[in-house]
Amino acid sequence: MPGNLKGALLALLSMGIYSTHDVIIKFLGAGYPALQILFFSALLSFPPIAILLLRDPTHGTLLPRSPFWVTLRSVCIVNSGICGFYAFSVLHLAQVYSILFASPLIITILSVPLLGERVGLARGAAVAVGLLGVLVVLRPGYVELSLGHFAAMLAACTSALAAVSVRRLGRSERTVILILWPIIGNFILTGLSLGLAYRPMAGMDLALTGLIALLGLLAGFLLIQAYQAGEAANVAPMQYSQMLWAIGYGWLLFDEHPDSATLTGAALIIGSGLFILMRERSGASRLRPVTEARLRSETVTAPRPNLLRRLLRRE
């Protein structure tokens, strides 16, 4: 099988697993607080992640060389997980994905002050069209915005900032620090929340939180294989297939039917994101590895595949 085709198929499978991961979050969110779901999902994902962390060949302490950027990235990842889990719990799947797809657009904006990128007229226009798509999805003034909408937007923004931060750090920090710090921060914050809002979990529901952890790691490993098999420019666009999974799962499991505004806005966001990817494919950009490597939110249950790849290769 040609490399690009294999890479695209592996990416499609990975996105399907990520979407199943999100569906379980939505299912559990109907009966349990989002912070509780995230706590147990992260707790059950820690053992396999810890085994991978033992493969880190570099020596040193757990103190970062760049405390500000590591702390900022960790806070962003924890926030992205909390807000993302909550948004999936209360909003339609297609609507959440439409908003989260704005993350690459926000990365492009943040790259100007943080990475010294130059955004030309074409990329700037694409970002404007994509942000217009977000407004079409949200329809402020016509539809009452809920906390779930704000949570999804905050997840997209903090995910973008985390992606730019890790690019800013480059290889200056140990992989174990980049993965472990967000996990520790998540345990502290979500663990404290259990004292405020906790509902005893049935055995099957607790097992589903473990399945969330398993699916997040499995999807990440498949995405690694996809990028190894095919060119990034052919693999990355497959991540937008999550919208198809969202529509299918929403219709079959939750009786969700995306309206025309959501579909139109999603089309504008996806189109602008694809245009930016294609533009970066043909030019030398420090931003390019950020947008190609990860279009969905990074959380403690689904670490950045590039970091997992470093551990697997013992880089």
Side-chain angles (χ1 to χ4, degrees):
M1 182 182 297
N4 284 331
L5 177 58
K6 180 180 179 181
L9 292 176
L10 285 171
L12 285 173
L13 178 58
S14 173
M15 292 305 107
I17 293 174
Y18 272 132
S19 297
T20 306
H21 165 286
D22 300 333
V23 164
I24 298 174
I25 294 171
K26 182 173 182 62
F27 174 77
L28 290 176
Y32 302 100
L35 289 174
Q36 181 177 330
I37 300 169
L38 179 56
F39 174 81
F40 284 106
S41 298
L43 180 64
L44 294 173
S45 71
F46 184 70
I49 291 177
I51 294 173
L52 288 174
L53 292 177
L54 293 176
R55 296 173 58 91
D56 189 350
T58 58
H59 299 284
T61 69
L62 293 179
L63 296 177
R65 296 191 182 103
S66 304
F68 173 79
W69 289 106
V70 171
T71 302
L72 177 63
R73 176 179 176 274
S74 301
V75 170
C76 286
I77 291 175
V78 172
N79 182 82
S80 177
I82 292 173
C83 292
F85 271 50
Y86 178 75
F88 279 118
S89 298
V90 299
L91 297 179
H92 288 189
L93 290 169
Q95 201 165 46
V96 178
Y97 280 128
S98 297
I99 298 171
L100 294 183
F101 283 160
S103 185
L105 308 177
I106 302 169
I107 289 175
T108 303
I109 296 171
L110 293 176
S111 70
V112 176
L114 297 182
L115 296 179
E117 283 282 315
R118 293 183 178 179
V119 177
L121 182 60
R123 271 204 294 172
V127 169
V129 170
L131 295 180
L132 175 62
V134 174
L135 291 177
V136 172
V137 172
L138 295 178
R139 283 161 288 171
Y142 293 92
V143 175
E144 183 178 357
L145 298 181
S146 67
L147 185 59
H149 293 100
F150 289 109
M153 278 302 302
L154 190 55
C157 292
T158 51
S159 176
L161 184 54
V164 174
S165 296
V166 78
R167 183 60 184 167
R168 177 68 181 259
L169 287 166
R171 299 267 179 157
S172 65
E173 294 290 348
R174 297 176 62 202
T175 305
V176 64
I177 290 176
L178 296 178
I179 293 180
L180 194 57
W181 269 53
I183 292 176
I184 294 174
N186 177 79
F187 282 154
I188 294 173
L189 187 58
T190 59
L192 290 174
S193 75
L194 297 181
L196 302 175
Y198 175 78
R199 296 180 185 174
M201 302 191 76
M204 181 59 70
D205 292 340
L206 187 60
L208 286 176
T209 65
L211 185 56
I212 291 173
L214 177 63
L215 292 177
L217 291 173
L218 177 59
F221 286 128
L222 285 174
L223 200 54
I224 291 171
Q225 295 297 317
Y227 279 107
Q228 289 176 341
E231 296 177 9
N234 293 301
V235 173
M238 297 301 106
Q239 300 186 48
Y240 287 116
S241 66
Q242 288 178 105
M243 179 57 71
L244 299 178
W245 287 101
I247 294 173
Y249 272 134
W251 179 66
L252 290 173
L253 302 179
F254 304 106
D255 194 29
E256 296 176 354
H257 306 282
D259 56 25
S260 58
T262 298
L263 295 177
T264 301
L268 291 173
I269 297 167
I270 292 173
S272 62
L274 289 174
F275 178 80
I276 290 173
L277 281 173
M278 294 302 103
R279 291 282 297 183
E280 289 165 7
R281 178 186 183 185
S282 60
S285 171
R286 295 172 61 196
L287 177 62
R288 181 171 53 191
V290 176
T291 52
E292 288 183 348
R294 187 82 171 169
L295 293 186
R296 62 169 285 123
S297 298
E298 180 182 5
T299 67
V300 290
T301 61
R304 187 180 177 87
N306 280 1
L307 297 179
L308 295 177
R309 183 168 57 188
R310 286 191 203 176
L311 295 176
L312 293 174
R313 291 182 174 181
R314 298 193 178 189
E315 296 177 0

